[in-house]
């Protein structure tokens, strides 16, 4: 009997705690829903600040790869581990030499400003007037020039086959002109250290490094790796094969040569982190101790 009494004394506290948990009332939906919304908003802000951000395409400078109104996902951590490579589509802040691509929005009333602020926090607002999206053509030390005998752009003397992403090129019959991106032809440019030579895929309208100068790598916000809106146009933004055969420039020291990555947008870094948030949220909502469940 003493053994049974001892066992009963040990089990009884656990039984009482279990009874209290069963008797505890679940949080009402009208209290739980705002809490979940606040948590989701905070997670969106953290992801937008450190991992991913959605960018709105405001102009036709990247057509037909990206159309006006498309939204792309930008990996903001991939270039903390390596430098950009040729062929990648990047979002960056233009230097003082780059003319704004958007007219400044009117301030509007309080609610308009609040909406823009919240949209910027979660990455769904319009980009800033100095935010641009272009394709990397040349990295530090590269010699970029147009054109060869067939009217092709060359990098380190290697002609690029741009038929896969350039559908509307600049005319060949116009002579090159300083500070003018209209003509296709331009003199050889050696990309300075720490900078990138970028161009839009729609060469007829794109205002880019041809006339506005190279872009510092430090100004790059991240790599655009996928079109996520509209859903019917979902696609990845991979590096065209023509860049794989471009030789390294002799002007670039071996230790400064950017390493190429087969990872299209850093999914290996981003997805596990985001997935852990989603798994935690789903686990909480599916807890058997709750009678009411929300669809995640």
């Amino acid at each position: 009997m003493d053994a049974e009494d001892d066992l009963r004394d040990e089990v009884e506290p656990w039984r009482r705690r279990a009874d209290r948990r069963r008797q505890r009332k679940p949080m009402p939906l009208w209290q739980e829903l705002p809490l979940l919304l606040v948590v989701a908003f905070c997670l969106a802000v953290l992801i937008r600040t450190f991992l991913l951000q959605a960018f709105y395409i405001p102009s036709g400078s990247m057509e037909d790869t990206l159309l006006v109104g498309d939204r792309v996902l930008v990996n903001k951590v991939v270039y903390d581990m390596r430098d950009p490579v040729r062929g990648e589509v990047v979002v960056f802040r233009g230097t003082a030499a780059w003319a704004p691509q958007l007219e400044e929005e009117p301030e509007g009333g309080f609610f308009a400003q609040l909406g823009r602020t919240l949209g910027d926090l979660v990455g769904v607002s319009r980009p800033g007037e100095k935010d641009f999206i272009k394709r990397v053509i040349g990295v530090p030390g590269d010699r970029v020039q147009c054109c060869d005998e067939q009217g092709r752009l060359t990098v380190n003397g290697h002609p690029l086959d741009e038929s896969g992403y350039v559908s509307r090129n600049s005319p060949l019959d116009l002579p090159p002109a300083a500070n003018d991106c209209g003509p296709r032809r331009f003199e050889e440019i050696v990309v300075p250290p720490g900078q990138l030579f970028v161009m839009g895929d729609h060469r007829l309208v794109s205002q880019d490094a041809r006339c506005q100068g190279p872009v510092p790598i430090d100004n790059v916000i991240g790599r655009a790796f996928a079109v996520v809106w509209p859903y019917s146009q979902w696609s990845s933004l991979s590096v065209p094969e023509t860049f794989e055969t471009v030789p390294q420039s002799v002007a670039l020291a071996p230790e400064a040569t950017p390493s190429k990555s087969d990872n299209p947008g850093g999914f290996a870094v981003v997805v596990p982190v985001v997935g852990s948030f989603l798994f935690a949220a789903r686990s909480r909502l599916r807890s058997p101790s709750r009678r009411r469940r929300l669809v995640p």
Side-chain angles (χ1 to χ4, degrees):
M1 295 297 295
D2 291 340
E4 293 181 1
D5 292 340
D6 292 341
L7 180 61
R8 187 181 300 109
D9 292 340
E10 292 180 3
V11 171
E12 189 62 27
W14 292 93
R15 182 179 298 169
R16 287 197 297 267
R17 283 196 290 268
D19 291 340
R20 285 198 298 268
R21 283 196 295 268
R22 284 193 295 268
Q23 294 172 3
R24 188 179 302 162
K25 294 182 179 180
M27 182 182 295
L29 179 61
W30 65 269
Q31 292 180 350
E32 187 177 35
L33 186 57
L35 178 61
L36 291 177
L37 291 176
V38 170
V39 172
F41 179 80
C42 293
L43 287 178
V45 172
L46 289 174
I47 292 172
R48 183 261 189 207
T49 303
F50 300 107
L51 299 177
L52 293 175
Q53 184 173 356
F55 272 83
Y56 170 85
I57 305 301
S59 70
S61 66
M62 283 294 292
E63 292 178 349
D64 290 328
T65 304
L66 299 172
L67 305 179
V68 176
D70 285 353
R71 290 188 183 275
V72 297
L73 273 185
V74 175
N75 185 332
K76 303 180 74 172
V77 298
V78 62
Y79 295 140
D80 291 334
M81 297 174 284
R82 64 173 178 84
D83 285 340
V85 299
R86 305 180 195 93
E88 293 181 331
V89 177
V90 297
V91 173
F92 59 92
R93 292 180 299 275
T95 64
W98 282 64
Q101 63 177 345
L102 295 173
E103 295 182 0
E104 188 175 354
E105 288 186 286
E107 291 189 2
F110 170 77
F111 290 104
Q113 295 183 33
L114 178 62
R116 284 196 294 269
T117 301
L118 294 177
D120 182 64
L121 284 175
V122 298
V124 297
S125 62
R126 295 204 328 163
E129 60 179 13
K130 278 287 191 176
D131 291 342
F132 298 86
I133 182 167
K134 306 289 180 185
R135 189 180 299 276
V136 178
I137 302 297
V139 296
D142 281 348
R143 296 174 291 108
V144 184
Q145 184 180 14
C146 194
C147 306
D148 66 359
E149 295 180 354
Q150 300 181 32
R152 296 175 297 184
L153 182 70
T154 65
V155 179
N156 299 330
H158 178 80
L160 298 180
D161 178 10
E162 299 188 289
S163 58
Y165 57 91
V166 175
S167 57
R168 283 165 284 188
N169 213 330
S170 303
L172 270 171
D173 54 352
L174 295 178
N179 302 321
D180 184 5
C181 287
R184 188 187 308 189
R185 300 183 183 277
F186 60 87
E187 299 297 329
E188 181 178 277
I189 296 173
V190 179
V191 184
Q195 302 199 43
L196 302 172
F197 190 90
V198 296
M199 298 176 68
D201 289 354
H202 189 348
R203 303 287 164 76
L204 278 170
V205 301
S206 176
Q207 300 294 301
D208 45 46
R210 292 173 291 172
C211 54
Q212 304 196 91
V215 176
I217 295 178
D218 290 342
N219 282 27
V220 176
I221 297 172
R223 178 185 177 186
F225 65 92
V227 180
V228 294
W229 183 263
Y231 294 129
S232 59
Q233 300 298 323
W234 191 94
S235 62
S236 61
L237 298 173
S238 58
V239 176
E241 293 183 1
T242 186
F243 289 95
E244 297 178 0
T245 52
V246 175
Q248 294 295 337
S249 171
V250 295
L252 188 64
E255 62 271 17
T257 303
S259 59
K260 183 175 178 180
S261 172
D262 294 329
N263 188 350
F267 274 109
V269 176
V270 175
V271 169
V273 178
V274 178
S276 65
F277 289 141
L278 297 177
F279 179 79
R282 289 176 64 90
S283 299
R284 180 176 181 275
L285 291 174
R286 293 178 180 273
S287 174
S289 63
R290 294 187 177 273
R291 301 175 187 174
R292 186 181 293 112
R293 295 188 299 176
L294 299 179
V295 179

